Amino acid sequence: MNGELLYIGWNHRVATLDLREKLAYSPDEAREALEGLFRAHILTEGCIVSTCNRSELYGLTEREDGIPEIADFLSRFHGIERDVLLGAATSARGDESVRHLFRVASGLDSLVLGEAQILGQIREALRRAVEHGTARSITNRLFQAAVECGKRVRTETSLGTRPASVPGIALSLTGRLFDTLSGRRVLLIGAGETVELTARLLIDDGVTDIVFCNRTQEKAEALASSFSGRTIPWDQRTAAFADVDVVLSATGAQEPIVEAASLKKVLSKRRRGPLLVLDLAVPRDIEPAVDDIADVYRYDLDTLSELVKKNTLERQAEVPRASAIVEESVDKFMDWVSTLSQLDVLKALRAKLEDTRQKELQRYGPKLARLGDDERELVNRLTESLVAKILHEPTIGLKTGGVAERLERAHVIKTLFRLEEDSH
Amino acid sequence: MPTILHSGSAGTIFGFVALACYAFSAGFYIAFLKKPRPLFGWLATGLAATGALLNLESLYARSVALKSVPYRDIVGSLALLGFFLAVLNILLELRHRDRSLGPFLMPVVFVLLLVALELPMAKTAPAPELRGPVFALHVTLNMLGYAAFAVACALSALYLMVGRSLKRKKGLTLDGPFSRFPSLSYLERANRTSLGVGVVASTAAFCLGAFWATRVWRADHPNWVLDPKIVTVLLILVFYWVVLVRAHRGAAPVTTARLSVAGFLLVLVSYTAINLLFSKLHVFT
């Protein structure tokens, strides 16, 4: 294997959202950037992972100054100052870069620990890079190993089984009340980001009947037209509880907008089974006394956040097991890499010794010419045997011991025999 | 003079093997609820099905030995009730791909068969009036009704348990055994269906019983309608009709669930105390 794996990236831990937004790549931009790096002889192959939480570039370089060179290139590519980029970057070379990608794929480096979306995003990044021809033998294998590692973490640990975000928890709760959300009627009160995001999630879950309600009717109507829903006037918000299965309220009101007493009256005429009420507003939109009404299941941010916290703690308990899987996967991948390195070193060493043997035979050519054919053949065999004997011990040494040990030995052999100089 | 019959040992052997199957099935259902390993699930269902087949075989062997329907005595009727419960459990499981009822129903099935096997069996041939299809159908439908009410009770108890766990804010959890229970809306629907089956079967059984009584009891017991068992069953039937109609009209599911549990408690009282202590006419022979 010629070159070394590296990565440089900007993620939610270090880089601001502003910077991450500027560094986001469309599939075509990712190809363009990688091709530029190939043309500049900074990378020989590579793949870019670009999500809302990270923009990371993985590749193979033959240059010692690979990382600063990539930063220079990306600074020009994105039009961002080099110092700004380097100040918020994380990077690594060799097995550290492999470990980082495997941790990312496992959800160990995610904003919401253990989230599953990243695995699909890595798979997609690889698919595009293969399609564009930028991920070749090493990065292709690296990303496939990362996906495999992520899958193992998900199947062998419960890192990703419990939702750990407020929308995730809210959707889990609907599953406890209803077999499916499809065919259910949902009332969304408010017109902010939470309501919009929830509407999107509900549509993904097959909900087709969404009712929007907001103090400013125009805003509710705008949302309704975006999500093929309908609206009700603000003063009918409490009455509407009788005809829906799920209510989500997230307004900026300073006082409760739904009172328990009036809701109890409305629900006495209700004929729809259990009602799920999700109050995501601070301060609360719905009076907590609603809990006393039969078949009404109300959750506010306090309860949901508690669940998020609990699930996050439970996920954290799985981190050691997940990390052990990552380490196993890194070892396996580096083993494969070291095999490539060993093969390269052995090949180069054999070539160098054979070259030396030939040169020496040539040097002694006139003297050997005095010998008979049988003697010359004997000398030839003798030198061949010497080369084979000399190669025997290094061959064994490169094939036994741990990965790090073998890579170290390969490096020593390369240095002592000056194999790199010869290959240039 | 009544004919003394053989005890029906074949039926008893099948009964004990069925009992063992039910016991292991209940154990695997509970294990599956705690840790949902597919093997536990398959063993639970497979053993429940094997137990039900052997239970049926046991009833058939007893029927041959008694020369009558095998459930005219309490032993047979408990065994039949257990059989219906096991079958309903399997049917609901296959229909909804859900094993959450098994941990509640199969222990009951086990207890029913255990009691049936422990009690002394009728040793005399049935009176002529206890033979014939009307009587057989009356008892069979009654047992089906009881089994359906038992399932409704189990579903309702689950509804109340799940609902309570969801209402509780402190310590609310989305994992553990509760997370493997079906949704509230499923429990509510399934409860309505079970109530429907129970009400229809019990009403038909009551009508057939009344028809049989007018022919057999009219001469010797003109006031058979006032027998405590008949009065209790009629009241229970009215109660269940009211619950069912209310449920179909959209009554609060939690109220329907509570009434279903209460209704089954009445059924148990009617099935045991009323039959054994108060009824003069409606007694197991």
Side-chain angles (χ1 to χ4, degrees):
Chain A
M1 179 178 111
N2 290 323
E4 191 182 18
L5 278 166
L6 60 76
Y7 100 88
I8 179 165
W10 292 266
N11 60 42
H12 61 93
R13 291 187 196 281
V14 187
T16 60
L17 178 63
D18 235 25
L19 184 60
R20 294 203 309 271
E21 272 172 0
K22 285 179 191 157
L23 287 164
Y25 296 87
S26 69
D28 283 340
E29 283 169 343
R31 181 182 53 185
E32 219 177 290
L34 285 167
E35 283 173 354
L37 287 160
F38 298 162
R39 276 196 300 275
H41 302 288
I42 300 168
L43 291 180
T44 52
E45 53 179 291
C47 184
I48 289 174
V49 178
S50 180
T51 72
C52 52
N53 284 325
R54 65 184 71 245
S55 262
E56 292 178 344
L57 189 152
Y58 296 81
L60 195 66
T61 184
E62 291 177 13
R63 293 170 63 156
E64 279 296 319
D65 58 353
I67 289 173
E69 282 299 313
I70 293 172
D72 278 347
F73 176 88
L74 294 180
S75 159
R76 292 191 299 275
F77 188 84
H78 292 288
I80 302 169
E81 276 180 45
R82 183 180 185 274
D83 291 345
V84 174
L85 274 187
L86 281 174
T90 58
S91 64
R93 298 181 75 110
D95 60 343
E96 274 306 315
S97 60
V98 176
R99 184 169 291 106
H100 177 76
L101 177 62
F102 287 11
R103 286 180 65 81
V104 170
S106 306
L108 286 167
D109 200 57
S110 297
L111 183 61
V112 175
L113 182 67
E115 59 104 359
Q117 222 181 351
I118 187 67
L119 194 57
Q121 288 163 334
I122 286 180
R123 203 183 276 124
E124 184 59 16
L126 173 62
R127 192 189 65 75
R128 289 214 173 106
V130 169
E131 198 177 286
H132 295 157
T134 59
R136 294 160 198 166
S137 56
I138 309 296
T139 36
N140 190 335
R141 179 80 177 239
L142 171 71
F143 272 66
Q144 279 180 16
V147 170
E148 210 175 291
C149 173
K151 275 193 206 160
R152 268 194 70 193
V153 167
R154 266 156 194 86
T155 50
E156 293 175 29
T157 73
S158 49
L159 189 72
T161 52
R162 299 175 179 96
S165 64
V166 172
I169 294 278
L171 284 178
S172 299
L173 284 167
T174 61
R176 302 295 303 279
L177 267 77
F178 312 109
D179 310 343
T180 167
L181 272 177
S182 171
R184 299 278 164 194
R185 188 177 295 158
V186 181
L187 170 65
L188 298 178
I189 307 177
E193 209 177 303
T194 309
V195 164
E196 198 177 333
L197 178 69
T198 309
R200 200 163 290 136
L201 290 172
L202 288 169
I203 292 212
D204 287 347
D205 269 5
V207 177
T208 50
D209 195 356
I210 305 179
V211 184
F212 292 90
C213 179
N214 190 54
R215 208 183 289 269
T216 314
Q217 180 72 7
E218 291 74 32
K219 285 187 182 174
E221 272 161 15
L223 280 170
S225 71
S226 305
F227 295 102
S228 312
R230 59 194 172 88
T231 62
I232 53 159
W234 179 248
D235 57 4
Q236 282 178 25
R237 62 191 180 279
T238 308
F241 278 54
D243 295 316
V244 298
D245 303 294
V246 181
V247 177
L248 183 137
S249 190
T251 73
Q254 291 305 302
E255 296 290 328
I257 57 164
V258 175
E259 286 167 8
S262 28
L263 188 61
K264 195 171 183 178
K265 254 188 233 167
V266 166
L267 294 182
S268 64
K269 292 171 200 150
R270 183 183 155 81
R271 297 283 178 265
R272 287 185 73 92
L275 171 68
L276 178 65
V277 178
L278 300 164
D279 185 351
L280 303 188
V282 179
R284 283 182 284 221
D285 278 345
I286 293 152
E287 278 186 353
V290 161
D291 287 345
D292 298 334
I293 306 173
D295 286 309
V296 176
Y297 300 89
R298 181 197 64 90
Y299 300 97
D300 54 28
L301 266 181
D302 266 0
T303 322
L304 296 176
S305 307
E306 211 175 286
L307 281 170
V308 169
K309 211 163 110 187
K310 186 170 170 270
N311 283 3
T312 306
L313 279 175
E314 281 168 358
R315 283 183 176 208
Q316 269 162 358
E318 290 292 298
V319 168
R321 282 176 66 203
S323 300
I325 293 172
V326 167
E327 285 311 311
E328 259 179 53
S329 306
V330 171
D331 281 352
K332 198 173 155 194
F333 182 78
M334 291 312 290
D335 202 18
W336 178 76
V337 169
S338 78
T339 312
L340 285 184
S341 303
Q342 293 151 27
L343 287 175
D344 287 346
V345 168
L346 276 175
K347 219 165 113 187
L349 184 60
R350 190 171 287 124
K352 175 145 193 171
L353 291 179
E354 179 61 21
D355 186 49
T356 311
R357 188 179 78 87
Q358 291 297 343
K359 277 179 184 159
E360 288 306 297
L361 285 174
Q362 248 178 1
R363 196 154 70 89
Y364 287 95
K367 287 177 185 172
L368 290 173
R370 285 182 226 144
L371 301 173
D373 286 348
D374 287 349
E375 281 93 356
R376 274 207 305 278
E377 183 54 30
L378 189 68
V379 170
N380 192 39
R381 278 198 200 158
L382 177 77
T383 52
E384 269 178 358
S385 171
L386 268 173
V387 167
K389 293 270 182 211
I390 294 167
L391 277 171
H392 180 70
E393 290 303 327
T395 306
I396 302 250
L398 286 172
K399 286 182 177 169
T400 53
V403 179
E405 220 175 327
R406 278 181 278 152
L407 282 172
E408 180 63 30
R409 285 179 195 149
H411 180 71
V412 168
I413 290 171
K414 267 163 94 179
T415 314
L416 289 178
F417 286 88
R418 296 183 175 179
L419 297 178
E420 270 173 350
E421 289 169 26
D422 295 341
S423 67
H424 289 301
Chain B
M1 173 136 180
T3 317
I4 305 295
L5 295 167
H6 295 293
S7 60
S9 57
T12 311
I13 291 165
F14 283 129
F16 276 113
V17 182
L19 185 72
C21 287
Y22 286 155
F24 284 113
S25 170
F28 281 117
Y29 271 118
I30 292 166
F32 184 78
L33 185 67
K34 283 188 175 172
K35 210 165 196 174
R37 287 190 184 158
L39 181 68
F40 290 168
W42 296 331
L43 282 170
T45 311
L47 285 165
T50 312
L53 279 175
L54 289 166
N55 195 348
L56 187 65
E57 186 59 39
S58 155
L59 284 165
Y60 176 72
R62 282 172 42 75
S63 174
V64 171
L66 289 169
K67 294 179 181 152
S68 155
V69 285
Y71 30 81
R72 69 182 169 85
D73 60 351
I74 193 158
V75 176
S77 94
L78 285 174
L80 180 69
L81 182 59
F83 167 75
F84 275 135
L85 280 178
V87 170
L88 283 173
N89 172 57
I90 294 165
L91 288 179
L92 277 171
E93 186 179 312
L94 294 176
R95 169 83 177 79
H96 297 284
R97 306 258 166 232
D98 192 295
R99 288 196 169 94
S100 48
L101 260 190
F104 301 90
L105 281 185
M106 290 316 290
V108 176
V109 174
F110 168 77
V111 170
L112 286 173
L113 193 58
L114 179 71
V115 173
L117 290 170
E118 285 298 315
L119 287 173
M121 203 165 54
K123 294 220 185 317
T124 55
E129 65 268 21
L130 297 184
R131 294 178 184 171
V134 175
F135 179 75
L137 206 53
H138 160 71
V139 183
T140 309
L141 285 172
N142 249 335
M143 288 301 135
L144 177 62
Y146 287 156
F149 290 143
V151 171
C153 172
L155 288 163
S156 299
L158 266 180
Y159 186 98
L160 296 171
M161 277 165 68
V162 174
R164 205 174 153 199
S165 86
L166 286 171
K167 276 261 183 190
R168 211 171 44 215
K169 300 287 185 284
K170 282 263 174 218
L172 176 70
T173 172
L174 290 172
D175 49 19
F178 272 115
S179 67
R180 288 187 279 282
F181 287 164
S183 67
L184 289 180
S185 63
Y186 159 73
L187 290 168
E188 182 207 354
R189 265 197 334 271
N191 186 26
R192 272 207 310 262
T193 309
S194 296
L195 284 174
V197 171
V199 165
V200 170
S202 297
T203 307
F206 187 84
C207 294
L208 283 168
F211 173 70
W212 178 88
T214 50
R215 285 196 314 175
V216 178
W217 285 343
R218 195 173 44 187
D220 298 335
H221 311 286
N223 290 330
W224 63 269
V225 176
L226 299 176
D227 183 78
K229 173 71 181 182
I230 314 279
V231 174
T232 313
V233 166
L234 192 60
L235 288 174
I236 290 174
L237 212 49
V238 171
F239 174 84
Y240 268 117
W241 269 109
V242 172
V243 175
L244 184 66
V245 171
R246 274 174 48 92
H248 277 283
R249 283 188 175 179
V254 72
T255 314
T256 306
R258 282 178 190 146
L259 292 174
S260 291
V261 173
F264 190 65
L265 292 177
L266 293 176
V267 168
L268 286 179
V269 170
S270 155
Y271 190 65
T272 54
I274 303 287
N275 258 26
L276 298 170
L277 304 175
F278 298 102
S279 181
K280 299 272 188 303
L281 293 170
H282 212 281
V283 289
F284 294 111
T285 59

